Amino acid sequence: MNLSHVIAAGQDLLLGSECVACGSPGPVLCAPCDRRLDDGPLVREPDGDDLVDGMVPVWSGSRYDPIAGKLVIAFKDRGAWTLAAPLSRLVSRALAGLLLAGPGGDASPLWGARGPTAGAGGEVPILVPVPADPRRVRARGLDHTTTITRRAAAVCGLEWCKLLRRVSATRDQIGLGSAARRAGQHGTMSIGSPRWCLPRTRGPQLWQARPIVVDDVVTTGATVREAVRALRAAGARVWGVACAAQTELAGSVPRRVGSPLAPGDQTR
């Protein structure tokens, strides 16, 4: 545990905080619950409709179990913003697995001894957060996906950019099945102007960037599927999807892979 963790724990104790996962007094994420998140990286390979649609592999730092679920809910809806650190660490772990596998999981590693590298064609990996609903951002006072994307980018030494924007609102998807969720998300995202935020030293052209879509949680995959669609419609070659946690779906169970040390894990 580093000094920042000690300071955070002391502040939480003074303020009467408790672990959001188990309720024990102390930091918002206690050490035992934190350790139980260490089951990644996991990868969900495209299958069924995803394979037909050309969906890319989805990598996560953990399963979407009760602990990860409580972390995400507390971070997004209860103002526990300090949980950005463990959530971005999970995203960093997913990114390490994705980059070691190579674009589209083609087993061409793009993570060298000094971190991520450009592809054979000079393409540069760039993190693209799933755009949040502006109404929810205003209500929460935080763009949660952008927050964890920015932190994961800093940890992994990657560029990031808000390439995507919402062009229409989505209805509440609670209780909807996979097909209904996909239908509800389709056409809700579009690409904005990338010129202002792509790294100038590497060229501002979108075709030189290889986007990696970032989200907090992937369940049915409807949201990230729409993000991938919007990026491809603009001519981008999507590298993959990275998230903090993902669920297990029938016929598409996340597969645990070797555990490369994500840069964020070095600071624990």
Side-chain angles (χ1 to χ4, degrees):
M1 180 178 289
N2 61 27
L3 181 58
S4 64
H5 291 168
V6 174
I7 294 174
Q11 291 174 334
D12 289 335
L13 284 170
L14 288 173
L15 295 173
S17 177
E18 63 180 24
C19 175
V20 299
C22 69
S24 62
V28 291
L29 179 62
C30 69
C33 288
D34 194 3
R35 286 193 294 270
R36 287 175 62 185
L37 291 171
D38 290 338
D39 67 345
L42 305 166
V43 59
R44 181 194 297 174
E45 301 288 354
D47 189 21
D49 291 341
D50 285 339
L51 189 60
V52 173
D53 293 345
M55 183 58 180
V56 293
V58 176
W59 289 80
S60 69
S62 177
R63 296 182 190 277
Y64 190 57
D65 60 11
I67 293 180
K70 290 177 180 178
L71 256 65
V72 171
I73 292 171
F75 176 58
K76 292 199 299 187
D77 299 326
R78 298 177 185 170
W81 294 349
T82 57
L83 293 174
L87 289 172
S88 60
R89 190 188 76 228
L90 293 177
V91 172
S92 299
R93 188 181 302 154
L95 287 167
L98 188 157
L99 289 167
L100 281 169
D106 66 2
S108 301
L110 284 118
W111 189 286
R114 297 183 180 180
T117 61
E123 298 165 315
V124 177
I126 185 167
L127 306 187
V128 178
V130 166
D133 186 321
R135 298 171 303 173
R136 295 192 176 112
V137 172
R138 288 192 295 269
R140 293 166 175 160
L142 176 78
D143 186 333
H144 68 284
T145 310
T146 296
T147 298
I148 61 176
T149 300
R150 181 174 61 245
R151 293 183 66 118
V155 166
C156 294
L158 292 168
E159 303 287 352
W160 72 280
C161 178
K162 294 179 70 171
L163 284 173
L164 294 170
R165 62 188 179 93
R166 289 277 181 179
V167 294
S168 63
T170 57
R171 60 173 177 160
D172 192 344
Q173 299 192 63
I174 296 176
L176 297 180
S178 298
R181 290 193 177 201
R182 287 197 297 269
Q185 286 284 349
H186 186 77
T188 61
M189 299 181 199
S190 178
I191 198 162
S193 173
R195 182 172 293 275
W196 64 271
C197 62
L198 289 184
R200 295 184 182 277
T201 56
R202 295 175 177 174
Q205 294 85 357
L206 178 59
W207 63 266
Q208 286 183 307
R210 194 75 185 268
I212 298 173
V213 174
V214 178
D215 205 354
D216 55 351
V217 173
V218 173
T219 53
T220 64
T223 304
V224 293
R225 177 196 289 258
E226 170 61 11
V228 170
R229 183 207 63 77
L231 287 165
R232 283 180 171 164
R237 298 179 62 203
V238 180
W239 200 309
V241 174
C243 61
Q246 63 178 310
T247 60
E248 296 183 7
L249 297 179
S252 183
V253 178
R255 174 174 57 86
R256 182 172 181 173
V257 297
S259 299
L261 180 63
D265 291 340
Q266 298 175 1
T267 61
R268 295 185 59 186

